[in-house]
Amino acid sequence: MAFKFEITRGNAILNFSEEFCQSRCELIESESFFRVLRKFIKDNARRETTLYTYLHKIESDDIALAHQLKDIFRLLLIMGPSEIGGTRPEFKPYFKDGDMVEELIEQLYLFWRKLQRYALVFNDEKREGYQNVGFADAQEEFEKLILRTYRTISYQATHKTEKVLRQITAGVNAGLEITNLRTSLPYEYRCLDDIPFIEKVVIHPPFIMYSRRNKRDGVFPEVNYNPIEDNKFDPDEWFCYPAKVGDQLAFVYFNIKYMAQGITLCNLFDLADESEYRGRKPDLIYVYGYEDGEKNQAFYQDDKNDMMVALLSANDEFDYFGYMKKMCLTLHNVRQINHGNLPIHGAMVVMKLHDGTRRNIVVMGDSGAGKSETIEQIKALGAAYIEDIKTIYDDMGVLSYDAESRRVKTSGTETGAFVRLDDLDAGYSFKELDRSIFMNPDKKNARIVIPITDYKDVVAKHDVDMFLYANNYEETGAPLEFFDNEEQALKVFRAGQRMAKGTTTEYGLVGSYFANPFGPVQRQEQTDPILKDYFDKMFKQGVKVGQLHTRLGIKGNEHNGPKDAALAILKYITGEDELKKLPDEE
């Protein structure tokens, strides 16, 4: 990437390998600052602000205005308005209204901080801008430089001394260490060869991102042609995040216009080490944000190269992390089905109780059914009984059969969780502020992405003690009940019903085959015999198969429903009618 600075779709991308400012004057004189200034003026002109009207009366040409403001800011580093007016009389009109000068400084600073800001550095060679400074240290120094510059200019212009200083994230929100790597992609995918790979991600929390949408729609269709072959990619506009999706290696390519979506992957899927993908063909390839002017969102099974591939067009309708995450899982799931395994849309915990017993519980259900919410309640309500509890997967897992032990096993796909803020206990997200990525936090269906599990635990093969369906749509019925036979269970699990909660564009009571529109729905005929086989095996080996009435989709039960379901599970595994609580801390 040869550019020094790129600003697009609310993203500001700074290439530290090409330009790394180390002084306040150098910052103001930089090409990057000038481009931010031009964007700021353009934004004010579009909104016809009072500030723009004031500035426009002094200088009507926006480019000339940007140059003059840059010179003024440079002079404000060392002198005040009266001195500037004496030295440069042509700048005197700008300081006629002191309040407008203060407004200019504050609004420009706010405009910068509202951008999603990213730093890049190439680790393959030394360049002019990025010198002998560690990448994380460089971001910290840049942060200090921004604050020093802002405070100096603000003081020189107003002579106000701030009594409260806030060390906010004024530098970058995240940094990427990237490298150019010759891949071992098949010939049909050579168009992706020059796209740089992400090797390291540095996040500065709290990381808050906004997207054009806040829910996902429909299922991804399968097509009979390769959507990636013969496309063209400018390597300056793309990155590859090499992700470990369960035991599958995925190359996720994303357009820099959707940086926030790509960065968020690091809180959900483990970032593969170079030794894990150099010289190796991936199992999955996903291209997110291809600018073809269409609304493509299809996947394809490349039998020749034994890969699953997909492409999603650059479109405001797809500007939501759910499209990034769920397509990765769809590709993973179809590949698992091809290998005779059963993808599970659910969550799974491993519990060790104080009496030494262990319980492995899988809670299955579609989006908004109450899987994650019930598990969080189990953790909170069972503290007096649980010595240790691990969430193995929060959204998608897989059942496989271990021929040696002759038992059904389960493993996961993600190291993180993608959870609705509304369905978490009040305060939970703030406790995890230092690790979380927040999505549209002030809107309906606001989400949080948070790391929860080590990769080694995700891919390990775990026994299954309880396999439960999260029923969020029936108000009556015991919070926990078990099925007597395979036929009863399959009737409920296969129907995959739920009361839609607005997590997608669906509303009311809806259903999808096996509650999993990410693979099993598209491959229902192929999945059904696998489904029957695994339920037969689970009943024969004594797995307790049943359903939880989470009542999450029934108004007024959003918190009590999962709580009652969690209590029922805890009472069942402890054998106690009344649960004890941990004594209060002294």
Side-chain angles (χ1 to χ4, degrees):
M1 289 187 171
F3 68 79
K4 295 179 181 179
F5 179 83
E6 186 71 37
I7 186 166
T8 176
R9 204 180 170 88
N11 298 320
I13 305 171
L14 300 95
N15 187 346
F16 279 5
S17 291
E18 294 293 337
E19 181 179 70
F20 182 61
C21 300
Q22 300 186 66
S23 71
R24 291 170 295 180
C25 186
E26 193 178 347
L27 177 67
I28 297 299
E29 291 285 358
S30 69
E31 176 185 326
S32 303
F33 178 79
F34 185 74
R35 292 186 63 182
V36 171
L37 198 54
R38 286 278 292 117
K39 196 77 171 177
F40 170 72
I41 293 169
K42 188 176 181 180
D43 179 66
N44 277 267
R46 177 181 62 83
R47 296 185 291 115
E48 298 180 342
T49 64
T50 303
L51 175 61
Y52 179 75
T53 302
Y54 174 77
L55 297 172
H56 193 64
K57 286 179 181 178
I58 301 170
E59 175 53 68
S60 59
D61 182 80
D62 286 353
I63 295 179
L65 175 62
H67 281 290
Q68 289 184 18
L69 289 179
K70 186 187 78 169
D71 289 343
I72 287 171
F73 285 131
R74 179 172 51 80
L75 292 170
L76 278 171
L77 291 172
I78 55 174
M79 61 181 72
S82 59
E83 295 171 288
I84 294 173
T87 307
R88 300 285 296 271
E90 68 272 25
F91 292 157
K92 242 183 181 180
Y94 287 101
F95 296 101
K96 188 175 182 181
D97 188 333
D99 288 340
M100 292 308 296
V101 174
E102 187 174 356
E103 178 78 359
L104 167 64
I105 295 167
E106 292 302 320
Q107 287 302 316
L108 177 59
Y109 183 53
L110 182 62
F111 176 79
W112 164 253
R113 290 195 293 113
K114 281 186 174 180
L115 294 170
Q116 289 288 329
R117 308 174 305 277
Y118 306 97
L120 309 178
V121 66
F122 284 80
N123 70 359
D124 51 350
E125 59 179 303
K126 287 284 179 70
R127 305 195 181 197
E128 288 186 8
Y130 184 76
Q131 299 176 0
N132 298 319
V133 186
F135 186 36
D137 292 339
Q139 293 172 63
E140 187 177 335
E141 289 302 314
F142 182 71
E143 173 105 21
K144 292 176 182 176
L145 179 61
I146 294 289
L147 286 170
R148 281 202 312 271
T149 305
Y150 158 70
R151 288 169 180 166
T152 300
I153 289 173
S154 181
Y155 175 75
Q156 291 285 9
T158 66
H159 289 291
K160 291 181 181 178
T161 302
E162 295 293 337
K163 298 181 181 66
V164 178
L165 298 178
R166 295 174 176 87
Q167 294 297 105
I168 60 175
T169 303
V172 295
N173 303 111
L176 299 179
E177 191 172 300
I178 54 181
T179 186
N180 287 314
L181 175 76
R182 185 68 179 178
T183 67
S184 296
L185 291 170
Y187 178 80
E188 295 89 333
Y189 304 93
R190 289 297 178 185
C191 55
L192 302 168
D193 264 354
D194 295 328
I195 295 175
F197 275 63
I198 297 171
E199 286 198 326
K200 185 183 293 183
V201 180
V202 180
I203 292 181
H204 302 267
F207 188 98
I208 300 172
M209 61 165 282
Y210 286 88
S211 54
R212 304 291 171 90
R213 294 198 71 188
N214 66 338
K215 59 181 65 175
R216 186 186 49 77
D217 185 22
V219 299
F220 301 114
E222 184 172 7
V223 294
N224 59 4
Y225 61 89
N226 192 327
I228 298 176
E229 191 173 2
D230 298 327
N231 286 331
K232 290 181 171 57
F233 295 85
D234 181 348
D236 279 355
E237 296 179 359
W238 291 85
F239 292 118
C240 177
Y241 182 94
K244 293 189 281 189
V245 184
D247 60 0
Q248 308 287 299
L249 175 63
F251 285 177
V252 183
Y253 297 89
F254 61 90
N255 192 312
I256 63 171
K257 291 183 178 180
Y258 303 96
M259 282 286 286
Q261 323 285 24
I263 293 289
T264 303
L265 284 170
C266 73
N267 260 19
L268 195 71
F269 296 118
D270 201 44
L271 177 63
D273 187 80
E274 183 183 334
S275 62
E276 296 175 294
Y277 57 81
R278 179 179 285 277
R280 177 185 164 186
K281 173 181 67 65
D283 304 301
L284 320 170
I285 291 180
Y286 180 26
V287 170
Y288 180 92
Y290 188 73
E291 294 180 301
D292 53 11
E294 305 291 338
K295 293 183 181 180
N296 292 316
Q297 52 169 331
F299 69 92
Y300 168 71
Q301 181 170 309
D302 182 351
D303 289 321
K304 176 185 173 184
N305 296 299
D306 188 26
M307 294 193 305
M308 298 299 305
V309 301
L311 178 142
L312 194 96
S313 298
N315 191 287
D316 282 354
E317 290 189 23
F318 303 147
D319 185 8
Y320 175 56
F321 185 69
Y323 286 96
M324 175 75 89
K325 163 189 164 81
K326 295 298 189 182
M327 181 64 92
C328 290
L329 294 175
T330 299
L331 299 179
H332 166 274
N333 290 351
V334 172
R335 190 170 168 84
Q336 291 289 357
I337 291 169
N338 289 341
H339 287 85
N341 299 323
L342 183 62
I344 302 299
H345 193 188
M348 189 256 187
V349 290
V350 172
M351 283 189 286
K352 180 184 178 184
L353 306 182
H354 285 299
D355 64 7
T357 59
R358 294 178 181 270
R359 292 289 184 273
N360 296 356
I361 302 172
V362 176
V363 182
M364 198 195 102
D366 207 341
S367 184
K371 309 179 295 289
S372 303
E373 296 78 9
T374 301
I375 286 174
E376 289 304 320
Q377 291 286 357
I378 288 174
K379 293 177 182 178
L381 299 171
Y385 298 90
I386 300 170
E387 179 181 326
D388 184 46
I389 183 168
K390 284 183 180 178
T391 301
I392 302 304
Y393 52 88
D394 179 77
D395 181 56
M396 198 73 67
V398 63
L399 294 183
S400 58
Y401 184 68
D402 181 42
E404 186 176 337
S405 65
R406 296 186 179 181
R407 295 187 66 84
V408 171
K409 301 281 188 175
T410 189
S411 53
T413 55
E414 304 144 284
T415 56
F418 180 49
V419 187
R420 274 170 49 99
L421 277 173
D422 293 347
D423 296 330
L424 293 171
D425 278 347
Y428 175 84
S429 58
F430 294 102
K431 294 174 186 174
E432 304 295 341
L433 192 69
D434 60 337
R435 302 192 303 150
S436 303
I437 293 177
F438 292 85
M439 298 183 176
N440 306 313
D442 57 338
K443 294 182 171 58
K444 187 177 180 180
N445 198 38
R447 295 273 183 157
I448 180 175
V449 185
I450 181 170
I452 57 172
T453 312
D454 291 335
Y455 180 71
K456 61 180 175 54
D457 294 321
V458 171
V459 294
K461 305 293 185 182
H462 302 273
D463 286 328
V464 180
D465 298 316
M466 298 172 68
F467 193 82
L468 307 172
Y469 186 81
N471 179 331
N472 79 339
Y473 54 90
E474 290 182 342
E475 190 166 7
T476 59
L480 173 63
E481 57 186 24
F482 297 110
F483 297 112
D484 295 326
N485 54 60
E486 177 186 339
E487 289 72 25
Q488 285 181 348
L490 281 173
K491 184 178 179 181
V492 171
F493 281 87
R494 190 184 275 122
Q497 289 187 310
R498 68 182 169 107
M499 187 67 70
K501 286 175 49 59
T503 58
T504 67
T505 54
E506 298 172 305
Y507 291 95
L509 186 63
V510 297
S512 59
Y513 174 72
F514 197 47
N516 196 344
F518 312 107
V521 165
Q522 294 90 336
R523 295 289 185 91
Q524 183 170 339
E525 187 176 336
Q526 185 182 357
T527 304
D528 210 54
I530 301 173
L531 175 61
K532 291 178 183 177
D533 181 49
Y534 274 94
F535 270 71
D536 179 60
K537 285 183 169 69
M538 283 193 291
F539 270 93
K540 285 180 178 176
Q541 73 182 46
V543 175
K544 301 295 292 184
V545 181
Q547 66 176 331
L548 282 172
H549 286 96
T550 69
R551 296 179 289 151
L552 193 66
I554 300 170
K555 193 172 182 179
N557 292 275
E558 291 86 353
H559 292 287
N560 285 335
K563 182 178 179 180
D564 291 342
L567 284 170
I569 290 177
L570 289 166
K571 288 178 180 180
Y572 177 81
I573 64 176
T574 62
E576 298 190 13
D577 293 330
E578 291 296 329
L579 296 177
K580 61 185 179 183
K581 297 181 180 179
L582 282 177
D584 293 334
E585 292 183 9
E586 295 182 0

